[in-house]
Amino acid sequence: MNTDQFKHFALVYKLRSFTLAASQVPMSPQGLAKSIRKLEQEFDVEFFEADASGARVPTEFGDRMMDFVNEAELQRVQLVWEFDRIRARRQKRVRVASCLGISGFIGLRLKEAFEARNPDVRIDLIELSDDACDEAISLGRVDLGFTLAPFDGRLANVPLFTEPFYLWINVKDPRSKKECVTMRDLDGACVSSFGDGIKCDAVLRKRLAEAGSAPTFFNSPEVYWHYENALLNRSIGLTVQHFVALKAFCASDEVCAVPLDELNWSIGLSYIPSHVFAEHEARFVDFVTTHAEAMAIEARMPAC
């Protein structure tokens, strides 16, 4: 029993055909069938039966074997991650994930500033969607993560920075004259938001539902389109405070930025509670918790 046989078996299980499976390896259908037969002989079972159309239908043994193959692949992946964790510690690397939007805001600047002061340590920073970032930390793919509220209950979290959400609103919309827009104010509006996998979108929709407010949505992960849609008066655009001051979003008097009541964008540094920090990792944590807020405030200084 070996990993090649697992791969051959999984292809036949998925495609229901020796010929189709063999074309993806690639090898001859006869050679792939021989590989499967050897695996069956090892356990003295049959994994597939041919139906009237000639398709290879899994038997009960085949279904159970597929469970085993999936579990073996998961364990292999977890072993690869564990090996990478060991190598990273030996090489003084810190594996850090970042939710979308945080890297460009303060993540990269924290990495560069820390590495400049600690040339013996390297920060490996990857950017993931909000939910994928939490999952990467919880599975041990990374050592730490810049995450967003609401924070994952499986993880320990150090709060770093909080700022309010804003709405870009065309000046022709009466809501642009308000000092603060409430959830009820958005009833019947069209709102440009970030869509699935982004925590603030899920929180916004929940708050709107609780307030009995029912807007329609335009979804885009790119904040540029939130501003552009407001500029064209197609929708109200969701954004955060540090974007409001950027020159790119101050070019027109046709759009106002108005605070959104009861919704904040909060950044934290998250990790598995059982994680024991190596000395170089602890240095990075101390640096981030000391400098993150100051860097965030500097990053959102008015530029208009």
Side-chain angles (χ1 to χ4, degrees):
M1 186 166 56
N2 57 57
T3 54
D4 284 342
Q5 288 176 310
F6 287 176
K7 180 179 180 180
H8 301 160
F9 168 83
L11 283 170
V12 176
Y13 189 94
K14 176 183 177 181
L15 299 173
R16 303 298 197 254
S17 165
F18 287 134
T19 301
L20 291 176
S23 69
Q24 294 196 18
V25 176
M27 64 190 302
S28 70
Q30 295 80 8
L32 188 137
K34 184 178 180 180
S35 173
I36 299 296
R37 296 282 181 262
K38 285 184 177 180
L39 193 58
E40 290 177 326
Q41 290 169 5
E42 184 173 344
F43 292 101
D44 193 24
V45 297
E46 289 187 355
F47 293 137
F48 302 100
E49 296 174 340
D51 66 9
S53 68
R56 301 293 170 170
V57 180
T59 64
E60 186 177 357
F61 298 111
D63 289 335
R64 183 63 190 90
M65 186 64 188
M66 192 69 244
D67 292 339
F68 176 83
V69 169
N70 287 335
E71 181 63 27
E73 175 59 17
L74 177 60
Q75 290 185 5
R76 186 195 69 81
V77 170
Q78 290 174 334
L79 186 61
V80 169
W81 294 340
E82 180 63 15
F83 286 167
D84 184 57
R85 183 191 68 79
I86 295 170
R87 279 194 299 268
R89 288 208 165 193
R90 290 183 173 185
Q91 297 166 356
K92 287 192 174 182
R93 288 187 292 116
V94 186
R95 305 170 305 158
V96 182
S98 173
C99 289
L100 296 172
I102 301 179
S103 288
F105 180 41
I106 59 170
L108 284 172
R109 296 199 307 138
L110 283 167
K111 162 185 159 63
E112 291 167 358
F114 175 81
E115 289 178 335
R117 298 188 189 189
N118 298 268
D120 60 319
V121 183
R122 191 179 90 201
I123 308 301
D124 293 340
L125 184 65
I126 60 170
E127 194 170 39
L128 302 169
S129 69
D130 297 356
D131 293 339
C133 185
D134 288 345
E135 197 65 18
I137 302 166
S138 68
L139 291 173
R141 285 185 58 194
V142 294
D143 306 306
L144 299 159
F146 292 117
T147 57
L148 291 171
F151 300 111
D152 192 311
R154 297 171 297 177
L155 305 175
N157 182 73
V158 180
L160 297 178
F161 181 72
T162 296
E163 67 177 14
F165 275 95
Y166 274 67
L167 295 171
W168 280 314
I169 307 176
N170 192 282
V171 295
K172 296 175 183 176
D173 188 321
R175 283 167 285 217
S176 67
K177 309 300 189 290
K178 296 177 70 72
E179 291 186 3
C180 183
V181 173
T182 67
M183 297 297 168
R184 283 295 304 162
D185 292 331
L186 294 176
D187 188 39
C190 180
V191 177
S192 291
S193 188
F194 295 95
D196 293 342
I198 306 300
K199 290 181 180 180
C200 67
D201 183 88
V203 173
L204 174 62
R205 291 171 190 257
K206 180 181 178 182
R207 297 277 178 83
L208 288 166
E210 291 171 349
S213 188
T216 58
F217 283 91
F218 170 87
N219 294 328
S220 173
E222 299 296 333
V223 73
Y224 166 82
W225 289 111
H226 300 188
Y227 178 81
E228 188 71 10
N229 283 335
L231 181 64
L232 298 173
N233 203 22
R234 293 173 176 168
S235 64
I236 292 171
L238 183 66
T239 187
V240 285
Q241 187 177 14
H242 65 272
F243 279 126
V244 169
L246 295 181
K247 288 183 178 180
F249 302 124
C250 297
S252 175
D253 294 332
E254 296 297 310
V255 177
C256 290
V258 183
L260 176 59
D261 191 32
E262 299 180 356
L263 195 64
N264 290 318
W265 193 67
S266 297
I267 302 172
L269 186 66
S270 298
Y271 53 92
I272 298 172
S274 60
H275 185 80
V276 178
F277 291 108
E279 185 275 335
H280 63 281
E281 294 173 336
R283 266 191 278 159
F284 180 68
V285 172
D286 289 344
F287 182 86
V288 168
T289 54
T290 302
H291 294 89
E293 184 170 8
M295 283 193 177
I297 292 171
E298 180 184 346
R300 72 177 188 191
M301 291 294 288
C304 296

